[in-house]
Amino acid sequence: MIPPFEKPIYVTRPFLPPFEEFCRGLQDIWDSRWLTNDGPVLKRFTRDLCSFFETENICLFNNGTLALQIALQGMGISGEVITTPYTFVATTHALFWNKIRPVFVDIEPYHYTLDPDKVEAAITPWTTAILAVHVYGHPCKLNALADIARRHNLRLIYDAAHAFGVKVGGRPIGHYGDLSMFSFHSTKLFHSVEGGMLLFREAGLRGLFDYLKNFGFKNEVEVVMPGTNAKMNEVQALMGIQNLKYLGQTIEKRKAISAVYRKRLAEIPGIHMAPELPAAVQYNYAYFPVEVDEQEFGMSRDALYDKLKEWNVYTRRYFYPLICDYPCYRSIPVNGSLPVARRVAGRILTLPIYDGLALNDVETICDILLGLHQSMRMQSAQAAMPALAAVGR
Ligand SMILES: *Cc1c(COP(=O)(O)O)cnc(C)c1O
């Protein structure tokens, strides 16, 4: 019998830079007394990110949700937008806050991103854009979506909240599509406590985004549009600058964790992992999703999710329920039954992965899963015994 972990193991735990290092940065902020409003630390963070993403076209925000809302508003997106039901609610909320109608289209079964084969049938005269999500940091079908967007004259927007650090064909993933939103929330691979970023193709959008995130102020006496307040502050920017230095190292640790899971879970019936990404993708190992097949594993996803808590292991069901099943979106008509998204939402479980998670603990989590599968198989064999006796054995 494997004893429970002494301390809870959560699905993630935020990375933090060395405390001393952060304090040194804070001292500069104290000395300058410049806490927000485009201060020197934010400027420096912006420069660091420009070189990281190999572009000048980025704009920072206090969180990813407001960044996406402002992106949609600034780009003038209206009418209907084709999107995925298999994501975090903020993707859809950003549409709703812009009075845009979400049109939910099914996902593909391997990496769970929007299925391009089903997008075209959902296009109507009111469609203005596609809002796809690089869910778990898995890149969407970039070429197929770009092709559809071009042929139908739609804007192509990516919710890249999970995809910081991902590259495709050597290019940062934010270079695909018209615009990408990144979230720097504490639960994400890379964070600035809270924060968000837009990366966009048209340089002209920057002015608009800068107005919209700062009340529409052009200067002290001119307000040129009814903006909101979505600025990133200096302390957030400091956390971002310091965490960015450790990104390579945190990705390497996650990669090692992922490798242990891949090796060990391959031997457990009923635990299905997403296939390895194509060689052109440089992945960030942001999440480790598995699908639980109740028949093969011997226990349902929900039963397993609860059972693991007995070992102090707290997994998450990202993404269950589907967005279109939440009470606030249930009344939106959906074309078809979204069979893939529905099946995946019923089976998905995201396992703990973060840089401070010891490989030994990952092995133990795998041992627990294997043990549970074996004990369920034993139980069902025992349950079958009386039936065997009845047929004369
Ligand atoms: C986290 C997340 C967001 C929202 O980002 P915040 O920075 O928390 O506002 C949006 N979309 C997806 C897919 C996310 O996971």
Side-chain angles (χ1 to χ4, degrees):
M1 176 67 186
I2 302 164
F5 287 101
E6 265 167 38
K7 288 191 188 147
I9 296 204
Y10 298 108
V11 72
T12 192
R13 211 179 60 173
F15 176 84
L16 285 173
F19 188 62
E20 303 302 315
E21 213 170 289
F22 193 73
C23 288
R24 276 198 295 278
L26 273 181
Q27 187 67 57
D28 295 341
I29 295 176
W30 247 248
D31 293 344
S32 72
R33 293 211 177 221
W34 196 337
L35 303 182
T36 186
N37 288 6
D38 210 18
V41 188
L42 184 88
K43 287 203 171 86
R44 157 98 192 279
F45 187 30
T46 307
R47 281 199 305 275
D48 289 356
L49 288 166
C50 282
S51 63
F52 182 81
F53 280 101
E54 302 162 27
T55 175
E56 293 294 302
N57 295 343
I58 67 169
C59 186
L60 291 172
F61 296 84
N62 60 347
N63 63 59
T65 304
L66 280 169
L68 188 56
Q69 279 177 220
I70 286 175
L72 295 166
Q73 191 178 349
M75 293 170 85
I77 308 294
S78 63
E80 293 180 0
V81 167
I82 292 172
T83 190
T84 168
Y86 190 77
T87 178
F88 181 63
V89 278
T91 315
T92 311
H93 286 347
L95 294 170
F96 191 87
W97 277 70
N98 280 284
K99 301 189 165 60
I100 296 163
R101 207 169 99 111
V103 175
F104 296 112
V105 164
D106 210 357
I107 57 173
E108 45 83 16
Y110 304 106
H111 293 106
Y112 316 127
T113 62
L114 190 66
D115 187 348
D117 293 342
K118 307 209 178 105
V119 167
E120 240 164 338
I123 296 174
T124 74
W126 294 278
T127 311
T128 57
I130 299 169
L131 173 55
V133 181
H134 302 304
V135 67
Y136 308 124
H138 298 163
C140 290
K141 306 279 182 219
L142 303 166
N143 293 337
L145 290 176
D147 186 52
I148 294 168
R150 187 179 41 75
R151 280 191 285 109
H152 295 270
N153 196 23
L154 304 176
R155 307 306 291 269
L156 179 54
I157 300 170
Y158 286 114
D159 178 333
H162 301 170
F164 197 92
V166 175
K167 287 188 173 184
V168 180
R171 296 168 74 202
I173 192 145
H175 288 240
Y176 295 84
D178 293 302
L179 175 141
S180 300
M181 176 279 282
F182 293 84
S183 164
F184 303 165
H185 186 262
S186 306
T187 54
K188 306 298 202 271
L189 165 76
F190 169 77
H191 75 90
S192 58
V193 186
E194 295 244 17
M197 183 188 115
L198 297 178
L199 193 166
F200 38 92
R201 191 187 299 282
E202 284 170 42
L205 285 170
R206 180 205 318 285
L208 214 47
F209 294 153
D210 280 341
Y211 290 143
L212 285 171
K213 74 175 178 184
N214 190 30
F215 310 102
F217 274 114
K218 185 172 181 187
N219 53 46
E220 253 176 76
V221 292
E222 274 180 289
V223 173
V224 293
M225 63 185 75
T228 186
N229 180 3
K231 301 182 299 292
M232 176 178 280
N233 67 49
E234 293 288 280
V235 181
Q236 289 176 293
L238 175 65
M239 182 66 89
I241 289 171
Q242 300 204 351
N243 281 344
L244 191 57
K245 294 186 202 156
Y246 295 93
L247 182 76
Q249 164 180 336
T250 60
I251 290 178
E252 279 309 309
K253 287 199 185 160
R254 286 163 173 267
K255 185 177 180 181
I257 290 167
S258 168
V260 172
Y261 276 136
R262 283 210 169 267
K263 179 158 168 283
R264 293 289 316 279
L265 299 181
E267 286 154 22
I268 306 179
I271 301 286
H272 299 278
M273 296 171 280
E276 296 269 12
L277 289 158
V281 178
Q282 198 176 315
Y283 186 44
N284 64 0
Y285 304 91
Y287 297 86
F288 200 91
V290 297
E291 283 183 53
V292 182
D293 183 304
E294 181 172 355
Q295 291 298 316
E296 295 171 41
F297 185 71
M299 191 184 269
S300 72
R301 184 275 312 268
D302 290 336
L304 176 58
Y305 165 79
D306 284 330
K307 196 77 188 162
L308 286 170
K309 294 177 188 168
E310 294 176 18
W311 276 273
N312 234 349
V313 176
Y314 295 86
T315 59
R316 292 300 295 265
R317 290 167 288 187
Y318 294 144
F319 288 97
Y320 163 83
L322 295 181
I323 306 292
C324 50
D325 291 341
Y326 279 121
C328 75
Y329 291 117
R330 221 176 262 159
S331 60
I332 295 174
V334 175
N335 299 331
S337 60
L338 310 172
V340 179
R342 214 162 277 291
R343 189 187 73 229
V344 175
R347 293 160 43 117
I348 205 79
L349 198 62
T350 48
L351 302 181
I353 186 166
Y354 51 87
D355 79 37
L357 182 61
L359 293 182
N360 271 344
D361 291 345
V362 180
E363 294 275 3
T364 306
I365 293 168
C366 295
D367 291 339
I368 294 167
L369 290 168
L370 181 62
L372 280 170
H373 165 67
Q374 286 168 342
S375 73
M376 294 317 287
R377 203 167 51 186
M378 212 126 75
Q379 272 180 31
S380 63
Q382 277 163 4
M385 293 286 256
L388 291 176
V391 295
R393 282 215 44 218

